[in-house]
Amino acid sequence: MAEQVADEGNLTDGFNLVIDALKLNDINTIYNVPGIPITDLGRYMQAAGMRVLSFRHEQNAGYAAAIAGYLTQKPGVCMTVSAPGFLNGLTALAHATTNCFPMILISGSSEREIVDLQQGDYEEMDQLAIAKPLCKAAYRVLHAEDIGIGIARAIRSAVSGRPGGVYLDFPAKLLAQTMDAAAGEQSLVQVIDAAPRQLPAPESVARALDVLKGAERPLIILGKGAAYAQADDAIRAFVEKSGVPYLPMSMAKGLLPDTHPQSAGAARSLALKESDTVMLIGARLNWLLSHGKGRTWGDKPKKFIQVDIEPREMDSNVEIAAPVVGDIGSCIAALLDGMGDNWSAPSADWTGAIREKVETNVARMGPRLQNNNIPMNYQGALGALRTIIKERPDAILVNEGANTLDFARSIIDMYKPRKRLDVGTWGVMGVGMGTAIAAAVETGNQVLAIEGDSAFGFSGMEIETICRYELPVCVVVFNNGGIYQGAGVNPSGGSDPATTVFVKDSRYDKMMEAFGGVGVNATSPDELSQAVNAAMDSGKPTLVNAVIDETAGTESGRIGNLNPQRVVAQKT
Ligand code: ADP
Ligand code: TPW
Ligand code: MG
């Protein structure tokens, strides 16, 4: 370890100031990959009592920081080396921004003088310029006395308003810069009220209630912004008082239990198609809701009410009849207040039709989830895991893949808020292990990661990290031998495998054993159940290789319609 010379006398240095500024703002966990120029910073952080988790790839450290931000409402911090490390972390920073998760990417960089004259420094890159379009804000700190203000700006930018990713550039020389210790201490900034409440205008609340009251077939859609807001009790009270059926978006599942009588989850198509008025709470009308387009009821366009902290989100895709701009906690409190004591629920025709559809669909699904087929199909395997989550509602479910994602989302009921973490707005593969690690670190809860075999491959090396930190993570790899299916063939008849298939009969469980974790090969729902329950009882890092029928999945899961369709015959 380099000698920390500035710790003595009346001098301090950049290392100390970064650590003190983070700790002053209650940021005590860092997700990183060490190297020049931040190796010692990580060591000094650890020495100062911070938790510094070292990953095998920056992208995974970044995804960990992003989801830590979502879970805690404080920016998750990822720290990387310059150029390649920075770029590896940047995907996660962009992902955090896209998903409205507060995150800070701190990267070491080369000296400005060399970068700007393009003189070819070690890992030279104009990182600030590259980060800018991919995040909410990007700052560079050149002087030790500005570290406090730089970190304060980064925190406030990440969490205030619509949360997002912030890039913080620390040129190597900054860390070793010294200054008077007392002046250094005074330069630190404690961010007061980092995400101030944003109260909605009273008239916007009244307008929203009018539109909702006038609806014949209203529907509430809860998004992950609602889950992020941690206004769980108020949201539940509002939904219950309104009597309106609701649909949770993927990561909002569990905000109210999926078994709630007002949940339209199992009647999603009907609810989306037949509603005349939709109230969005922390959910965007993006591709996941078909941009709100083509959505009519009878021959009239649907009406939309939208509750969101970002004013520019309104009218992004269709006209919003009643925009309510503010933080969800304040907005829902105002809406509840405005409803008074005589709010009448929507007609029983509408709520009854949804309920009936939910019950039919649930009853139809039941027997399929109990099949004991070998090899397993998605229903059999997920039926087993569904029971485990029901019995252990505090466990955090991490989920990625195509079929593995789509089936798990619809089959596994969630019971508590922020317990389902997945691919988010981009549908990105590779979030799995970083997300699982941060979920375990930030909450201390047991984590169950349900991973397509392809999805797992993007971050699989982090199982070493899971073993190293002895985290209570059970990874289940849905091994169907490929992307969507394992049964593809090379259309040319050549000897290369098809583009979507992997090595047959792989044993991902043996990877876990290589690092001292528990590995289990499960070929039936019973074996799967047993292995996952044992993992959750023991809390030991475990990987279960769940053998899935290679023909069970469909192309692109449930979004195959988004694939471009070829109209011209192939030239050979
Ligand atoms: P989903 O994918 O679940 O539909 P989105 O990520 O599309 O959710 O939407 C989340 C929305 O929530 C964003 O438009 C964001 O501005 C908003 N949001 C995030 N946090 C808050 C908050 N505290 N108060 C109000 N709106 C919020
Ligand atoms: C960063 C494209 C979407 S889903 C998927 C890929 C590669 C893998 C599906 O196979 P998996 O699941 O995980 O085995 P299953 O059950 O259907 O077999 N690169 C990134 N993100 C995305 N979304 C892709 C590629 C993709
Ligand atoms: Mg697969």
Side-chain angles (χ1 to χ4, degrees):
M1 193 193 300
E3 202 183 340
Q4 202 175 358
V5 285
D7 208 8
E8 290 150 356
N10 56 0
L11 285 182
T12 188
D13 65 7
F15 292 105
N16 284 327
L17 290 165
V18 170
I19 292 166
D20 291 348
L22 290 169
K23 287 175 79 174
L24 180 66
N25 286 291
D26 204 26
I27 292 179
N28 298 300
T29 305
I30 305 287
Y31 300 93
N32 94 135
V33 175
I36 296 171
I38 50 110
T39 319
D40 278 342
L41 181 56
R43 290 191 179 118
Y44 298 144
M45 284 170 160
Q46 194 172 47
M50 298 176 76
R51 186 135 201 230
V52 184
L53 294 122
S54 287
F55 283 67
R56 305 298 294 258
H57 191 292
E58 291 87 353
Q59 192 176 95
N60 305 318
Y63 287 138
I67 209 70
Y70 171 72
L71 289 170
T72 63
Q73 295 184 320
K74 286 193 300 187
V77 177
C78 172
M79 191 163 79
T80 79
V81 302
S82 26
F86 157 77
L87 286 173
N88 285 345
L90 199 55
T91 310
L93 188 70
H95 165 81
T97 307
T98 299
N99 283 276
C100 316
F101 299 159
M103 165 182 173
I104 299 174
L105 175 68
I106 296 178
S107 294
S109 62
S110 305
E111 302 319 326
R112 289 307 317 155
E113 298 83 338
I114 302 179
V115 174
D116 289 348
L117 276 172
Q118 299 179 28
Q119 292 174 311
D121 202 4
Y122 168 68
E123 297 188 351
E124 175 189 301
M125 175 175 274
D126 189 356
Q127 297 169 193
L128 189 74
I130 289 165
K132 254 180 199 162
L134 297 170
C135 57
K136 222 181 134 182
Y139 306 110
R140 177 186 294 126
V141 182
L142 288 175
H143 304 292
E145 61 263 35
D146 293 331
I147 286 174
I149 207 75
I151 287 179
R153 293 211 79 185
I155 293 171
R156 194 178 283 285
S157 297
V159 298
S160 61
R162 169 183 277 176
V166 176
Y167 175 60
L168 203 47
D169 194 78
F170 286 173
K173 253 194 249 168
L174 173 77
L175 297 169
Q177 269 181 37
T178 58
M179 67 182 286
D180 176 70
E185 202 184 318
Q186 282 197 353
S187 73
L188 300 181
V189 176
Q190 184 167 16
V191 182
I192 312 291
D193 196 11
R197 287 196 303 148
Q198 287 182 226
L199 305 186
E203 60 274 20
S204 74
V205 174
R207 190 188 298 120
L209 289 173
D210 274 351
V211 173
L212 191 61
K213 204 177 281 174
E216 283 176 44
R217 300 170 157 242
L219 173 70
I220 292 173
I221 297 182
L222 300 172
K224 60 180 168 310
Y228 171 80
Q230 298 194 16
D232 310 335
D233 292 345
I235 289 172
R236 183 169 186 154
F238 172 73
V239 171
E240 290 182 344
K241 190 168 181 181
S242 74
V244 174
Y246 73 92
L247 270 182
M249 299 300 286
S250 191
M251 283 176 58
K253 274 167 71 77
L255 191 43
L256 277 75
D258 280 334
T259 47
H260 193 283
Q262 281 169 259
S263 171
R268 185 181 163 87
S269 307
L270 176 84
L272 287 172
K273 183 155 171 277
E274 295 291 324
S275 51
D276 68 348
T277 301
V278 175
M279 179 173 198
L280 300 155
I281 305 180
R284 285 171 286 186
L285 274 183
N286 54 16
W287 70 280
L288 288 157
L289 287 168
S290 311
H291 305 280
K293 298 228 161 73
R295 300 285 185 198
T296 54
W297 177 59
D299 54 0
K300 285 181 294 184
K302 272 193 210 308
K303 282 190 181 171
F304 289 93
I305 304 165
Q306 183 159 26
V307 180
D308 205 289
I309 201 158
E310 173 56 62
R312 287 175 304 173
E313 188 56 41
M314 307 299 158
D315 308 326
S316 62
N317 285 272
V318 297
E319 178 183 293
I320 301 298
V324 183
V325 175
D327 73 272
I328 283 170
S330 302
C331 292
I332 297 296
L335 286 160
L336 259 174
D337 198 42
M339 286 167 107
D341 296 326
N342 303 312
W343 187 266
S344 47
S347 79
D349 279 358
W350 170 235
T351 54
I354 295 223
R355 197 66 222 147
E356 197 183 306
K357 188 76 183 170
V358 166
E359 278 163 17
T360 317
N361 285 348
V362 168
R364 209 183 44 197
M365 204 59 188
R368 293 191 203 165
L369 301 178
Q370 276 160 25
N371 83 70
N372 241 322
N373 294 2
I374 298 176
M376 294 183 273
N377 57 24
Y378 288 93
Q379 287 85 358
L382 290 164
L385 299 178
R386 175 185 204 262
T387 307
I388 291 176
I389 291 293
K390 187 174 181 183
E391 289 163 354
R392 304 172 190 258
D394 286 314
I396 296 183
L397 180 70
V398 174
N399 190 199
E400 60 177 338
N403 293 282
T404 306
L405 177 87
D406 291 339
F407 280 109
R409 184 178 53 232
S410 63
I411 289 174
I412 300 183
D413 284 334
M414 304 305 299
Y415 300 86
K416 297 198 174 179
R418 296 171 295 284
K419 297 289 184 266
R420 186 186 152 82
L421 310 175
D422 67 26
V423 297
T425 302
W426 270 346
V428 59
M429 297 300 111
V431 292
M433 295 305 99
T435 302
I437 290 167
V441 165
E442 299 290 338
T443 69
N445 291 12
Q446 176 68 46
V447 175
L448 174 61
I450 303 180
E451 300 271 313
D453 51 347
S454 165
F456 173 70
F458 286 71
S459 68
M461 194 65 209
E462 301 297 345
I463 59 174
E464 187 276 331
T465 311
I466 292 171
C467 290
R468 184 164 18 107
Y469 292 99
E470 298 178 30
L471 298 172
V473 175
C474 174
V475 182
V476 178
V477 176
F478 270 46
N479 187 354
N480 64 347
I483 300 176
Y484 317 134
Q485 284 208 343
V489 288
N490 179 340
S492 78
S495 59
D496 277 356
T499 55
T500 50
V501 306
F502 299 146
V503 169
K504 300 268 175 231
D505 305 320
S506 303
R507 291 287 301 275
Y508 292 96
D509 50 314
K510 298 201 173 188
M511 288 173 66
M512 200 62 162
E513 289 172 356
F515 304 113
V518 178
V520 184
N521 189 47
T523 58
S524 70
D526 286 346
E527 283 175 17
L528 176 59
S529 236
Q530 228 170 53
V532 174
N533 273 315
M536 292 198 155
D537 287 340
S538 71
K540 285 194 188 136
T542 302
L543 191 152
V544 184
N545 182 62
V547 183
I548 304 287
D549 180 350
E550 63 173 18
T551 65
T554 57
E555 179 87 6
S556 302
R558 288 202 194 142
I559 54 172
N561 60 311
L562 298 182
N563 280 313
Q565 298 298 317
R566 190 169 201 176
V567 288
V568 177
Q570 177 164 8
K571 292 201 178 86
T572 47

